[in-house]
Amino acid sequence: MQQLTLFSESIPVLPVTYYPDFLSLEQANELYQHCLQLEWQQNQIRIAGKTMSVPRLECIYGDKGCDYLYSNSVFLKPLTWTDSLAKLRDRITVLTGYKFRIVIGNQYRSGQDSIGWHSDNEQSMGINPAIASVSLGSCRKFQIKPRNGKANDFWLEHGSLLVMHPGCQSTHLHQVPKTNKVVSTRINLTFRPHTGGGK
């Protein structure tokens, strides 16, 4: 399996590992079709005193009781793992050694769906969590940068896996920006640890 460590001009190595061919084309296509049938929802987020729609669809699956709150306004309660998502979680754990208890799905329906600069540092994930991100469907630009540093741009391919290692959320920000290009649906699955709930 091809593995790429991402280099930056400002620091020796970015705290991520990228596997462009993590899934075969057949596996990626099958998983994409499965994910289209997940229970997606349009959530509301409160920013600077204003309530607005999150600019993408979201879903969450995971262990019982592993509720997830982000931006102090969006509450996600996990549904039971599907067989396909559980098998994918276990495969990533075998590869990386990291254990995950939830997966948050993001569905970007067009180039206008996005997620801005942020770090995933919610307390429910514990200290310095590892996050594994599987991309399916349309290829979209992903950007990561050191806090107050220069952005590094690259493209997340269909069937690829990006692992953000422990410490990444403390030192770096990342985003999927809007684009005016005509793009089809992209689904992103982010596997995360969790400190609460039951097995």
Side-chain angles (χ1 to χ4, degrees), residues 7-195:
F7 290 87
S8 167
E9 296 177 359
S10 56
I11 55 175
V13 179
L14 288 172
V16 300
T17 303
Y18 182 54
Y19 303 87
D21 57 349
F22 176 65
L23 299 175
S24 68
L25 180 59
E26 181 180 358
Q27 291 170 336
N29 289 343
E30 183 177 342
L31 183 60
Y32 178 77
Q33 292 301 319
H34 173 74
C35 288
L36 287 175
Q37 305 306 313
L38 298 179
E39 295 192 31
W40 299 97
Q41 56 189 22
Q42 179 83 66
N43 292 311
Q44 301 293 307
I45 189 170
R46 191 166 181 80
I47 300 176
K50 296 182 179 181
T51 300
M52 61 192 73
S53 296
V54 173
R56 58 193 177 278
L57 300 182
E58 296 175 309
C59 65
I60 181 172
Y61 290 77
D63 295 346
K64 184 177 181 180
C66 290
D67 300 339
Y68 190 86
L69 176 71
Y70 75 87
S71 298
N72 293 317
S73 62
V74 182
F75 178 78
L76 304 175
K77 191 174 186 64
L79 301 170
T80 303
W81 291 100
T82 68
D83 288 342
S84 294
L85 293 179
K87 289 178 181 178
L88 183 61
R89 172 203 62 201
D90 294 344
R91 179 174 172 179
I92 296 172
T93 294
V94 169
L95 175 65
T96 65
Y98 301 133
K99 295 183 178 180
F100 307 101
R101 300 188 63 197
I102 60 173
V103 58
I104 295 177
N106 291 297
Q107 183 179 152
Y108 301 87
R109 297 157 294 181
S110 71
Q112 295 308 297
D113 277 1
S114 64
I115 186 168
W117 286 113
H118 72 287
S119 63
D120 296 305
N121 56 3
E122 285 70 26
Q123 293 184 355
S124 61
M125 290 192 293
I127 300 173
N128 291 328
I131 297 176
S133 174
V134 174
S135 293
L136 302 165
S138 184
C139 190
R140 288 286 296 270
K141 180 190 287 187
F142 175 85
Q143 296 181 296
I144 183 170
K145 67 176 181 179
R147 293 179 183 272
N148 301 318
K150 180 182 177 182
N152 297 262
D153 301 350
F154 63 101
W155 298 87
L156 297 180
E157 301 167 270
H158 180 51
S160 66
L161 169 68
L162 178 78
V163 179
M164 293 184 281
H165 297 289
C168 181
Q169 305 306 317
S170 298
T171 59
H172 287 67
L173 303 173
H174 56 279
Q175 74 165 354
V176 177
K178 295 181 186 294
T179 177
N180 290 324
K181 294 181 179 179
V182 177
V183 293
S184 55
T185 299
R186 171 183 181 251
I187 291 175
N188 177 230
L189 302 171
T190 58
F191 292 82
R192 304 159 186 251
H194 199 287
T195 60

